[in-house]
Amino acid sequence: MTPIQPLIDALGKTDVYLLDQFMKGRVAPSMRVLDVGCGSGRNLDLFLRAGNEVWALDESATAVERTSAHAADMGHPIPNERAITGAIEDAALAQFDVVLCLAVLHFARDAAHWRAMVDGLWRHLAPGGMLFARLSSTIGIEAHIEALGGGRYRLDGGREWFLVSLDDLLQTTEALGGELLEPIKTVNVQNRRCMTTWCLRKPAA
Ligand SMILES: C[S@@+](CC[C@H](N)C(=O)[O-])C[C@H]1O[C@@H](n2cnc3c(N)ncnc32)[C@H](O)[C@@H]1O
């Protein structure tokens, strides 16, 4: 085993752009965290290890169960009342210092659904809190996607997603009254999809 293997193990499968937020000092153990569309719970490892109060929400009961099992396996079980099956657009939980939403928003049906999901994320964010989203976008991949109308696109491989543009993200940031914590960054995955990091702070009350 190399000397850094324990560090690598501690990271689990955390998204590297989320890891970047830890490295920038934007996350403290005292913060309450909500992972929206938690999936397997892969992005919660560092929060769980740090002792953050973690909540997990997913519209799939199976995903919530997987996240709960993952946290329990790590020795940091999430209490049942904090592991919630439901859609973010319908949720009415507490407010959180950190709201995560990775690889979820492009599953919106259309623009109205996307905005309802974003409003749900924002509603759950405490003043001064950070919304960290990774989502597929049109940014830099315009020539490789087929517009289907209503903001839906067919991507390489046949996937059909709802994609937003840079202008959409900037206009939504302004409409929410959010502050970009950093420039909007996009990774082009070999013209198959573009994954954008959208990181906002809600103004303190
Ligand atoms: C591709 S997975 C991403 C899982 C995890 N965030 C990750 O990065 O590995 C998308 C997840 O979002 C969930 N999801 C999709 N739409 C949702 C919604 N409106 N509200 C809550 N969860 C949703 C799906 O059930 C699925 O578990």
Side-chain angles (χ1 to χ4, degrees):
M1 186 167 75
T2 71
I4 63 167
Q5 193 59 44
L7 282 174
I8 294 169
D9 291 343
L11 298 176
K13 294 181 178 168
T14 305
D15 178 279
V16 289
Y17 296 91
L18 178 57
L19 175 60
D20 186 44
Q21 299 306 309
F22 281 87
M23 295 175 78
K24 286 174 175 159
R26 295 196 176 127
V27 181
S30 58
M31 293 176 172
R32 291 212 302 173
V33 180
L34 173 66
D35 188 5
V36 173
C38 54
S40 63
R42 73 181 176 106
N43 288 304
L44 290 172
D45 286 27
L46 290 179
F47 295 102
L48 290 166
R49 287 186 204 285
N52 289 87
E53 181 182 314
V54 165
W55 293 55
L57 173 100
D58 201 294
E59 66 179 11
S60 156
T62 306
V64 174
E65 282 165 19
R66 286 177 68 198
T67 295
S68 293
H70 176 62
D73 282 351
M74 286 178 60
H76 301 290
I78 299 173
N80 287 342
E81 63 274 19
R82 297 183 193 158
I84 295 153
T85 302
I88 184 57
E89 57 272 28
D90 301 328
L93 308 172
Q95 286 194 315
F96 296 82
D97 304 300
V98 177
V99 175
L100 307 175
C101 186
L102 291 95
V104 178
L105 288 170
H106 46 263
F107 294 112
R109 291 184 297 275
D110 53 30
H113 187 208
W114 188 86
R115 187 53 203 259
M117 290 164 81
V118 170
D119 285 346
L121 297 171
W122 201 247
R123 185 166 67 240
H124 287 89
L125 193 61
M130 175 176 77
L131 168 62
F132 181 86
R134 293 257 296 152
L135 68 163
S136 193
S137 75
T138 63
I139 303 167
I141 201 174
E142 295 84 350
H144 301 277
I145 51 179
E146 178 190 353
L148 302 173
R152 297 192 66 81
Y153 292 84
R154 184 172 295 118
L155 292 86
D156 184 47
R159 274 181 292 209
E160 290 182 18
W161 282 348
F162 179 83
L163 304 182
V164 290
S165 66
L166 179 60
D167 277 353
D168 291 330
L169 290 175
L170 291 172
Q171 284 169 17
T172 307
T173 301
E174 192 175 341
L176 293 171
E179 172 204 346
L180 281 176
L181 275 171
E182 50 189 273
I184 292 170
K185 293 178 196 162
T186 299
V187 172
N188 183 329
V189 185
Q190 209 175 325
N191 290 331
R192 293 177 188 147
R193 64 185 184 280
C194 276
M195 292 303 295
T196 293
T197 303
W198 187 36
C199 187
L200 304 182
R201 189 189 303 282
K202 192 178 212 176

Coordinates of all heavy atoms in Angstrom, one line a residue, residues 91-173:
A91 N -40.5 18.9 -2.2 CA -40.0 18.7 -0.9 C -40.2 20.0 0.0 O -40.1 21.1 -0.6 CB -38.6 18.3 -0.9
A92 N -40.4 19.8 1.2 CA -40.5 20.9 2.2 C -39.8 20.5 3.5 O -40.4 20.1 4.4 CB -41.9 21.3 2.4
L93 N -38.5 20.5 3.4 CA -37.7 20.1 4.6 C -37.2 21.4 5.3 O -37.7 22.4 5.1 CB -36.5 19.2 4.1 CG -36.9 18.0 3.2 CD1 -35.7 17.3 2.7 CD2 -37.8 17.1 4.0
A94 N -36.1 21.2 6.0 CA -35.5 22.3 6.7 C -34.6 23.1 5.7 O -34.6 22.8 4.5 CB -34.6 21.8 7.8
Q95 N -33.9 24.1 6.1 CA -32.9 24.7 5.3 C -31.5 24.2 5.7 O -31.3 23.9 6.8 CB -33.0 26.3 5.4 CG -34.2 26.8 4.7 CD -34.2 28.3 4.5 OE1 -33.8 29.0 5.5 NE2 -34.5 28.8 3.4
F96 N -30.6 24.2 4.7 CA -29.3 23.6 4.9 C -28.2 24.6 4.5 O -28.4 25.5 3.6 CB -29.2 22.3 4.0 CG -30.2 21.3 4.4 CD1 -31.5 21.3 4.0 CD2 -29.8 20.3 5.3 CE1 -32.5 20.4 4.4 CE2 -30.7 19.3 5.7 CZ -32.0 19.4 5.3
D97 N -27.0 24.4 5.1 CA -25.9 25.2 4.7 C -25.3 24.8 3.4 O -24.7 25.7 2.7 CB -24.8 25.1 5.8 CG -25.4 25.4 7.2 OD1 -25.9 26.5 7.4 OD2 -25.4 24.5 8.1
V98 N -25.4 23.6 3.1 CA -24.9 23.1 1.8 C -26.0 22.2 1.1 O -26.5 21.3 1.8 CB -23.6 22.2 1.9 CG1 -23.2 21.6 0.6 CG2 -22.5 23.0 2.6
V99 N -26.3 22.6 -0.1 CA -27.2 21.7 -0.9 C -26.5 21.2 -2.1 O -25.9 22.0 -2.9 CB -28.5 22.5 -1.3 CG1 -29.4 21.6 -2.3 CG2 -29.3 22.9 -0.1
L100 N -26.4 19.9 -2.2 CA -25.7 19.2 -3.3 C -26.8 18.8 -4.4 O -27.8 18.3 -4.0 CB -24.9 18.0 -2.9 CG -24.0 18.2 -1.7 CD1 -23.4 16.9 -1.3 CD2 -22.9 19.2 -2.1
C101 N -26.4 18.9 -5.6 CA -27.3 18.3 -6.7 C -26.4 17.9 -7.9 O -26.2 18.8 -8.8 CB -28.3 19.4 -7.0 SG -29.6 18.7 -8.2
L102 N -25.9 16.7 -7.8 CA -25.0 16.3 -8.9 C -25.6 15.3 -9.8 O -26.1 14.3 -9.4 CB -23.7 15.7 -8.2 CG -22.8 16.6 -7.5 CD1 -23.2 16.7 -6.0 CD2 -21.4 16.3 -7.7
A103 N -25.6 15.6 -11.1 CA -26.1 14.8 -12.2 C -27.6 14.5 -12.0 O -28.0 13.3 -12.1 CB -25.2 13.5 -12.2
V104 N -28.3 15.5 -11.7 CA -29.8 15.3 -11.5 C -30.6 16.3 -12.4 O -31.6 15.8 -13.0 CB -30.1 15.6 -10.0 CG1 -31.6 15.5 -9.8 CG2 -29.4 14.7 -9.1
L105 N -30.2 17.5 -12.5 CA -31.0 18.5 -13.2 C -31.3 18.3 -14.6 O -32.4 18.7 -15.1 CB -30.4 19.9 -13.0 CG -30.5 20.5 -11.5 CD1 -29.7 21.8 -11.4 CD2 -32.0 20.8 -11.2
H106 N -30.4 17.6 -15.3 CA -30.7 17.3 -16.7 C -31.7 16.2 -16.9 O -32.1 15.9 -18.1 CB -29.4 17.0 -17.5 CG -28.5 16.0 -16.8 ND1 -27.4 16.4 -16.0 CD2 -28.5 14.6 -16.8 CE1 -26.8 15.3 -15.6 NE2 -27.5 14.3 -16.0
F107 N -32.2 15.6 -15.8 CA -33.4 14.7 -15.9 C -34.7 15.4 -15.9 O -35.8 14.8 -15.9 CB -33.3 13.6 -14.8 CG -32.1 12.7 -15.0 CD1 -31.0 12.7 -14.1 CD2 -32.0 11.9 -16.1 CE1 -29.9 11.9 -14.3 CE2 -30.9 11.1 -16.3 CZ -29.9 11.1 -15.4
A108 N -34.7 16.8 -15.8 CA -35.9 17.5 -15.9 C -36.7 17.2 -17.2 O -36.0 17.0 -18.2 CB -35.6 19.0 -15.8
R109 N -38.0 17.2 -17.1 CA -38.8 16.9 -18.3 C -38.7 18.1 -19.3 O -38.7 17.9 -20.5 CB -40.3 16.7 -17.9 CG -40.5 15.5 -17.1 CD -42.0 15.3 -16.8 NE -42.6 16.4 -16.0 CZ -42.5 16.3 -14.7 NH1 -42.0 15.3 -14.0 NH2 -43.0 17.3 -14.0
D110 N -38.8 19.3 -18.7 CA -38.8 20.5 -19.6 C -38.4 21.7 -18.7 O -38.0 21.6 -17.6 CB -40.3 20.7 -20.1 CG -41.3 20.7 -19.0 OD1 -40.9 21.1 -17.8 OD2 -42.4 20.3 -19.2
A111 N -38.5 22.9 -19.3 CA -38.0 24.1 -18.7 C -38.7 24.4 -17.4 O -38.1 24.8 -16.3 CB -38.1 25.3 -19.6
A112 N -40.0 24.2 -17.4 CA -40.8 24.4 -16.1 C -40.4 23.5 -15.0 O -40.3 23.9 -13.9 CB -42.3 24.3 -16.4
H113 N -40.2 22.2 -15.4 CA -39.8 21.2 -14.4 C -38.4 21.6 -13.9 O -38.1 21.5 -12.7 CB -39.8 19.8 -15.0 CG -39.6 18.7 -14.0 ND1 -39.0 17.5 -14.4 CD2 -39.8 18.6 -12.7 CE1 -38.9 16.8 -13.3 NE2 -39.4 17.4 -12.3
W114 N -37.5 21.9 -14.8 CA -36.1 22.3 -14.4 C -36.1 23.4 -13.4 O -35.5 23.4 -12.3 CB -35.3 22.7 -15.6 CG -33.8 22.9 -15.4 CD1 -32.8 22.0 -15.3 CD2 -33.2 24.2 -15.0 NE1 -31.6 22.6 -15.1 CE2 -31.8 23.9 -14.9 CE3 -33.6 25.5 -14.9 CZ2 -30.9 24.9 -14.6 CZ3 -32.7 26.5 -14.6 CH2 -31.3 26.2 -14.4
R115 N -37.0 24.5 -13.7 CA -37.0 25.6 -12.8 C -37.6 25.3 -11.4 O -37.2 25.7 -10.4 CB -37.8 26.8 -13.5 CG -37.8 28.1 -12.7 CD -36.3 28.5 -12.3 NE -36.3 29.4 -11.2 CZ -36.2 30.7 -11.3 NH1 -36.0 31.3 -12.4 NH2 -36.2 31.4 -10.2
A116 N -38.6 24.3 -11.5 CA -39.2 23.9 -10.2 C -38.2 23.1 -9.4 O -38.2 23.3 -8.1 CB -40.4 23.0 -10.5
M117 N -37.4 22.3 -10.0 CA -36.3 21.6 -9.3 C -35.3 22.6 -8.7 O -34.9 22.5 -7.5 CB -35.6 20.7 -10.2 CG -36.4 19.5 -10.6 SD -35.8 18.6 -12.1 CE -34.5 17.5 -11.3
V118 N -34.9 23.6 -9.5 CA -34.0 24.6 -9.0 C -34.6 25.4 -7.9 O -33.9 25.7 -6.8 CB -33.5 25.6 -10.2 CG1 -32.7 26.8 -9.6 CG2 -32.7 24.8 -11.2
D119 N -35.9 25.8 -8.0 CA -36.5 26.5 -6.9 C -36.6 25.6 -5.6 O -36.4 26.1 -4.5 CB -37.9 26.9 -7.3 CG -37.9 28.1 -8.3 OD1 -36.9 28.7 -8.4 OD2 -39.0 28.3 -8.9
G120 N -36.7 24.3 -5.8 CA -36.7 23.4 -4.7 C -35.4 23.4 -4.0 O -35.3 23.4 -2.8
L121 N -34.3 23.4 -4.8 CA -32.9 23.4 -4.2 C -32.7 24.7 -3.5 O -32.2 24.7 -2.3 CB -31.9 23.4 -5.4 CG -31.9 22.1 -6.2 CD1 -30.9 22.3 -7.4 CD2 -31.4 20.9 -5.4
W122 N -33.2 25.8 -4.1 CA -32.9 27.2 -3.5 C -33.7 27.3 -2.2 O -33.2 27.9 -1.2 CB -33.3 28.2 -4.5 CG -32.7 29.6 -4.3 CD1 -33.3 30.7 -3.9 CD2 -31.3 29.9 -4.4 NE1 -32.4 31.7 -3.8 CE2 -31.1 31.2 -4.1 CE3 -30.1 29.1 -4.7 CZ2 -29.9 31.9 -4.1 CZ3 -28.9 29.8 -4.7 CH2 -28.8 31.1 -4.4
R123 N -34.9 26.8 -2.2 CA -35.8 26.9 -1.0 C -35.2 26.2 0.2 O -35.4 26.6 1.3 CB -37.1 26.2 -1.4 CG -38.3 26.2 -0.4 CD -39.6 25.8 -1.1 NE -39.6 24.4 -1.5 CZ -39.8 23.9 -2.7 NH1 -40.0 24.8 -3.7 NH2 -39.9 22.6 -2.9
H124 N -34.4 25.2 -0.1 CA -33.8 24.4 1.0 C -32.4 24.9 1.4 O -31.8 24.3 2.3 CB -33.7 22.9 0.6 CG -35.0 22.2 0.6 ND1 -35.9 22.2 -0.5 CD2 -35.7 21.6 1.6 CE1 -37.0 21.6 -0.2 NE2 -36.9 21.2 1.1
L125 N -32.0 26.0 0.8 CA -30.7 26.6 1.1 C -30.9 27.7 2.2 O -31.7 28.6 2.0 CB -30.1 27.1 -0.2 CG -28.6 27.5 -0.1 CD1 -27.8 26.2 0.2 CD2 -28.2 28.0 -1.5
A126 N -30.1 27.6 3.2 CA -30.1 28.7 4.3 C -29.4 29.9 3.7 O -28.5 29.8 2.9 CB -29.5 28.2 5.5
P127 N -29.8 31.1 4.2 CA -29.1 32.3 3.9 C -27.6 32.1 4.1 O -27.2 31.6 5.2 CB -29.7 33.4 4.8 CG -31.1 32.9 5.0 CD -31.0 31.4 5.1
G128 N -26.8 32.5 3.2 CA -25.3 32.3 3.3 C -24.8 31.0 2.9 O -23.6 30.7 2.9
G129 N -25.8 30.1 2.5 CA -25.4 28.7 2.2 C -24.9 28.5 0.8 O -25.1 29.5 -0.1
M130 N -24.4 27.4 0.5 CA -23.8 27.1 -0.8 C -24.6 26.0 -1.6 O -24.9 24.9 -1.0 CB -22.4 26.6 -0.7 CG -21.8 26.1 -2.0 SD -20.0 25.6 -1.8 CE -20.2 24.0 -1.1
L131 N -25.0 26.3 -2.8 CA -25.6 25.3 -3.7 C -24.5 24.9 -4.6 O -23.9 25.7 -5.3 CB -26.8 26.0 -4.5 CG -27.3 25.1 -5.7 CD1 -27.9 23.8 -5.2 CD2 -28.3 25.9 -6.5
F132 N -24.3 23.6 -4.6 CA -23.3 23.0 -5.5 C -24.0 22.0 -6.5 O -24.5 21.0 -6.1 CB -22.2 22.3 -4.7 CG -21.2 21.7 -5.6 CD1 -20.1 22.4 -6.1 CD2 -21.3 20.4 -6.1 CE1 -19.1 21.9 -6.9 CE2 -20.3 19.9 -7.0 CZ -19.2 20.6 -7.4
A133 N -24.0 22.4 -7.7 CA -24.7 21.6 -8.7 C -23.8 21.2 -9.9 O -22.9 22.0 -10.3 CB -25.9 22.3 -9.3
R134 N -23.9 20.0 -10.3 CA -23.2 19.6 -11.6 C -24.3 19.1 -12.5 O -25.2 18.3 -12.1 CB -22.2 18.4 -11.3 CG -21.0 18.8 -10.5 CD -19.8 19.0 -11.3 NE -19.3 17.8 -11.9 CZ -18.5 17.8 -13.0 NH1 -18.3 19.0 -13.7 NH2 -18.1 16.7 -13.5
L135 N -24.3 19.6 -13.7 CA -25.4 19.2 -14.6 C -24.9 19.2 -16.0 O -23.9 19.9 -16.4 CB -26.6 20.2 -14.4 CG -26.4 21.7 -14.9 CD1 -27.7 22.4 -15.0 CD2 -25.5 22.5 -13.9
S136 N -25.6 18.5 -16.8 CA -25.2 18.5 -18.2 C -25.8 19.7 -18.9 O -26.9 20.2 -18.5 CB -25.8 17.2 -18.9 OG -25.2 17.1 -20.2
S137 N -25.0 20.3 -19.8 CA -25.4 21.6 -20.4 C -25.1 21.5 -21.9 O -24.5 20.6 -22.4 CB -24.6 22.7 -19.8 OG -23.3 22.7 -20.3
T138 N -25.5 22.6 -22.6 CA -25.2 22.7 -24.1 C -23.8 23.4 -24.3 O -23.3 23.4 -25.4 CB -26.2 23.6 -24.8 OG1 -26.1 24.9 -24.2 CG2 -27.6 23.0 -24.6
I139 N -23.2 23.8 -23.2 CA -22.0 24.7 -23.3 C -20.8 23.9 -24.0 O -20.3 23.0 -23.4 CB -21.6 25.2 -21.9 CG1 -22.8 25.9 -21.3 CG2 -20.4 26.1 -22.0 CD1 -22.6 26.2 -19.8
G140 N -20.4 24.4 -25.1 CA -19.3 23.8 -25.8 C -19.6 22.5 -26.6 O -18.7 21.9 -27.1
I141 N -20.8 22.1 -26.7 CA -21.2 20.9 -27.3 C -22.3 21.1 -28.4 O -22.8 20.1 -28.9 CB -21.5 19.8 -26.3 CG1 -21.4 18.4 -26.8 CG2 -22.9 20.0 -25.7 CD1 -21.6 17.3 -25.8
E142 N -22.5 22.4 -28.6 CA -23.7 22.7 -29.5 C -23.7 22.0 -30.8 O -24.8 21.6 -31.3 CB -23.7 24.2 -29.7 CG -23.9 25.1 -28.5 CD -22.7 25.4 -27.7 OE1 -21.6 24.8 -27.9 OE2 -22.7 26.2 -26.7
A143 N -22.5 21.8 -31.4 CA -22.4 21.1 -32.7 C -22.6 19.6 -32.7 O -22.8 19.0 -33.7 CB -21.1 21.4 -33.4
H144 N -22.7 19.1 -31.5 CA -22.8 17.6 -31.4 C -24.1 17.1 -30.7 O -24.1 15.9 -30.3 CB -21.6 17.1 -30.5 CG -20.3 17.5 -31.2 ND1 -19.7 16.8 -32.2 CD2 -19.5 18.6 -30.9 CE1 -18.6 17.4 -32.5 NE2 -18.4 18.5 -31.8
I145 N -25.0 18.0 -30.6 CA -26.3 17.6 -30.0 C -27.4 18.0 -30.9 O -27.3 18.9 -31.7 CB -26.5 18.2 -28.6 CG1 -26.3 19.7 -28.6 CG2 -25.6 17.5 -27.6 CD1 -26.5 20.4 -27.3
E146 N -28.5 17.2 -30.9 CA -29.7 17.4 -31.7 C -30.8 18.0 -30.9 O -31.3 17.4 -30.0 CB -30.1 16.1 -32.4 CG -31.3 16.2 -33.3 CD -31.9 14.9 -33.7 OE1 -31.2 13.8 -33.4 OE2 -32.9 14.8 -34.3
A147 N -31.2 19.3 -31.3 CA -32.3 19.9 -30.6 C -33.6 19.2 -30.9 O -34.0 19.0 -32.1 CB -32.4 21.4 -30.9
L148 N -34.3 18.8 -29.8 CA -35.6 18.2 -30.0 C -36.8 19.1 -29.7 O -38.0 18.7 -29.9 CB -35.7 16.9 -29.1 CG -34.6 15.9 -29.3 CD1 -34.7 14.8 -28.2 CD2 -34.7 15.2 -30.6
G149 N -36.5 20.3 -29.3 CA -37.5 21.3 -28.9 C -37.7 21.3 -27.4 O -37.5 20.3 -26.7
G150 N -38.1 22.5 -26.9 CA -38.4 22.6 -25.5 C -37.2 22.4 -24.6 O -37.4 22.1 -23.4
G151 N -36.0 22.6 -25.1 CA -34.8 22.5 -24.2 C -34.3 21.1 -24.1 O -33.3 20.8 -23.4
R152 N -35.0 20.1 -24.8 CA -34.5 18.7 -24.8 C -33.6 18.5 -26.0 O -33.8 19.0 -27.1 CB -35.7 17.8 -24.8 CG -36.6 17.9 -23.6 CD -37.6 16.8 -23.5 NE -36.9 15.5 -23.2 CZ -36.5 15.1 -22.0 NH1 -36.6 15.8 -21.0 NH2 -35.9 13.9 -21.9
Y153 N -32.6 17.6 -25.8 CA -31.6 17.4 -26.8 C -31.3 15.9 -26.8 O -31.4 15.2 -25.8 CB -30.3 18.1 -26.5 CG -30.4 19.6 -26.6 CD1 -30.9 20.3 -25.6 CD2 -30.0 20.2 -27.8 CE1 -31.0 21.7 -25.7 CE2 -30.2 21.6 -27.9 CZ -30.7 22.4 -26.9 OH -30.8 23.7 -27.0
R154 N -31.0 15.4 -28.0 CA -30.5 14.0 -28.2 C -28.9 14.1 -28.2 O -28.4 14.9 -29.0 CB -31.0 13.3 -29.4 CG -30.5 11.9 -29.5 CD -31.2 11.1 -30.7 NE -32.6 11.0 -30.5 CZ -33.6 11.5 -31.3 NH1 -33.2 12.1 -32.4 NH2 -34.9 11.3 -31.0
L155 N -28.3 13.4 -27.4 CA -26.8 13.4 -27.3 C -26.2 12.2 -28.0 O -27.0 11.2 -28.3 CB -26.4 13.4 -25.8 CG -26.6 14.7 -25.1 CD1 -28.0 14.7 -24.5 CD2 -25.6 14.9 -24.0
D156 N -24.9 12.2 -28.2 CA -24.3 11.0 -28.7 C -24.6 9.8 -27.9 O -24.6 9.8 -26.7 CB -22.7 11.3 -28.7 CG -21.9 10.2 -29.3 OD1 -22.3 9.8 -30.4 OD2 -21.0 9.7 -28.7
G157 N -24.9 8.7 -28.6 CA -25.3 7.5 -27.8 C -26.8 7.4 -27.7 O -27.3 6.4 -27.1
G158 N -27.6 8.4 -28.1 CA -29.0 8.4 -28.1 C -29.7 8.9 -26.8 O -30.9 8.9 -26.7
R159 N -28.9 9.3 -25.8 CA -29.6 9.8 -24.6 C -30.4 11.1 -24.9 O -29.9 11.9 -25.7 CB -28.5 10.2 -23.5 CG -28.2 9.0 -22.7 CD -27.1 9.4 -21.6 NE -25.9 9.7 -22.3 CZ -24.7 9.6 -21.7 NH1 -24.6 9.1 -20.5 NH2 -23.6 9.9 -22.4
E160 N -31.5 11.3 -24.3 CA -32.3 12.5 -24.4 C -32.4 13.2 -23.1 O -33.0 12.7 -22.1 CB -33.7 12.2 -25.0 CG -33.6 11.7 -26.4 CD -35.0 11.5 -27.0 OE1 -36.0 12.0 -26.4 OE2 -35.1 10.7 -28.0
W161 N -31.8 14.4 -23.0 CA -31.7 15.1 -21.7 C -32.2 16.5 -21.9 O -32.2 17.1 -23.1 CB -30.3 15.2 -21.2 CG -29.8 13.9 -20.5 CD1 -30.6 12.9 -20.2 CD2 -28.4 13.6 -20.2 NE1 -29.7 11.9 -19.6 CE2 -28.5 12.3 -19.6 CE3 -27.2 14.3 -20.3 CZ2 -27.3 11.7 -19.1 CZ3 -26.1 13.7 -19.8 CH2 -26.1 12.4 -19.2
F162 N -32.6 17.1 -20.8 CA -32.9 18.6 -20.8 C -31.6 19.3 -20.5 O -31.0 19.1 -19.5 CB -34.0 18.9 -19.8 CG -34.3 20.4 -19.7 CD1 -35.2 20.9 -20.6 CD2 -33.7 21.2 -18.8 CE1 -35.5 22.3 -20.6 CE2 -33.9 22.6 -18.8 CZ -34.9 23.1 -19.7
L163 N -31.2 20.2 -21.4 CA -29.9 20.9 -21.3 C -30.1 22.4 -21.2 O -31.0 22.9 -21.9 CB -29.0 20.5 -22.4 CG -28.7 19.1 -22.7 CD1 -27.7 18.9 -23.9 CD2 -28.1 18.4 -21.5
V164 N -29.3 23.0 -20.4 CA -29.4 24.5 -20.3 C -28.1 25.0 -20.9 O -27.1 24.4 -21.0 CB -29.5 24.9 -18.8 CG1 -30.9 24.6 -18.3 CG2 -28.4 24.3 -17.9
S165 N -28.2 26.3 -21.3 CA -27.1 27.1 -21.8 C -26.4 27.9 -20.8 O -26.9 28.0 -19.6 CB -27.6 28.0 -23.0 OG -28.4 29.0 -22.4
L166 N -25.3 28.5 -21.1 CA -24.6 29.4 -20.2 C -25.5 30.6 -19.8 O -25.6 30.9 -18.7 CB -23.3 29.9 -20.8 CG -22.5 30.9 -20.0 CD1 -22.1 30.3 -18.7 CD2 -21.3 31.4 -20.8
D167 N -26.2 31.1 -20.8 CA -27.2 32.2 -20.6 C -28.3 31.8 -19.6 O -28.6 32.5 -18.7 CB -27.8 32.7 -21.9 CG -26.9 33.7 -22.6 OD1 -25.9 34.1 -22.0 OD2 -27.2 34.1 -23.7
D168 N -28.8 30.6 -19.8 CA -29.8 30.1 -18.9 C -29.3 30.1 -17.4 O -30.0 30.5 -16.5 CB -30.2 28.6 -19.2 CG -30.9 28.5 -20.6 OD1 -31.6 29.5 -20.9 OD2 -30.8 27.5 -21.2
L169 N -28.1 29.6 -17.2 CA -27.5 29.5 -15.9 C -27.3 30.9 -15.3 O -27.5 31.2 -14.1 CB -26.2 28.7 -15.9 CG -26.4 27.2 -16.1 CD1 -25.1 26.5 -16.2 CD2 -27.3 26.6 -15.0
L170 N -26.8 31.8 -16.2 CA -26.5 33.2 -15.7 C -27.8 33.9 -15.3 O -27.9 34.6 -14.3 CB -25.7 34.0 -16.7 CG -24.3 33.5 -16.9 CD1 -23.6 34.2 -18.1 CD2 -23.4 33.7 -15.6
Q171 N -28.8 33.7 -16.2 CA -30.1 34.4 -15.9 C -30.8 33.8 -14.7 O -31.4 34.5 -13.9 CB -31.0 34.2 -17.2 CG -30.6 35.2 -18.3 CD -31.4 34.9 -19.6 OE1 -32.4 34.1 -19.6 NE2 -30.8 35.4 -20.7
T172 N -30.7 32.5 -14.5 CA -31.3 31.9 -13.3 C -30.6 32.3 -12.1 O -31.2 32.6 -11.0 CB -31.3 30.3 -13.5 OG1 -31.9 30.0 -14.7 CG2 -32.0 29.7 -12.3
T173 N -29.2 32.4 -12.2 CA -28.5 32.9 -11.0 C -29.0 34.3 -10.6 O -29.2 34.6 -9.4 CB -27.0 33.0 -11.4 OG1 -26.5 31.7 -11.8 CG2 -26.1 33.5 -10.2

